[in-house]
Amino acid sequence: MDFGQFQQSLKLSSPPSAVSGHLKALWYDAKGNWDQSHSIIQDIEDDDAAWIHAYLHRKEGDTGNADYWYRRAGKKRPSVSLELEWENIVADLIHH
């Protein structure tokens, strides 16, 4: 699946079954379901999940918690829009 196909999947009522939990979390976030996204990602323990977790808390407005998760992910809080950060994370995960 490429980035365009992933974006097209947002028109569906459920995420593609073949994508990782990471991408499912981002799919639910894009669909406006922050709670489902957070529920998925909090149970995954790797740097990519920490990055998504950081993004979600940044989106929520909890900067302190977001910064904790950015540190866990080995990243700094970006100065780009939330939309661009979402795109960057998706693109990075697809190209792993």
Side-chain angles (χ1 to χ4, degrees):
M1 172 170 287
D2 65 25
F3 184 82
Q5 291 169 320
F6 185 75
Q7 280 193 306
Q8 286 295 318
S9 78
L10 296 171
K11 295 177 181 175
L12 304 173
S13 59
S14 60
S17 59
V19 299
S20 67
H22 300 80
L23 286 171
K24 283 181 183 170
L26 290 164
W27 188 93
Y28 280 108
D29 173 66
K31 296 286 275 188
N33 193 339
W34 188 97
D35 290 329
Q36 180 67 27
S37 178
H38 188 260
S39 178
I40 291 168
I41 213 61
Q42 70 183 358
D43 293 333
I44 303 173
E45 304 242 352
D46 62 23
D47 290 346
D48 291 331
W51 186 14
I52 296 165
H53 210 146
Y55 156 80
L56 288 171
H57 284 293
R58 177 178 171 231
K59 184 173 188 175
E60 178 189 36
D62 187 349
T63 306
N65 201 359
D67 287 345
Y68 165 80
W69 287 103
Y70 282 116
R71 284 191 302 276
R72 293 256 326 247
K75 301 190 177 294
K76 292 183 187 245
R77 181 172 14 110
S79 58
V80 300
S81 69
L82 288 166
E83 294 79 11
L84 184 55
E85 184 177 13
W86 182 92
E87 291 175 7
N88 290 340
I89 299 170
V90 170
D92 188 69
L93 292 172
I94 286 173
H95 294 112
H96 267 328

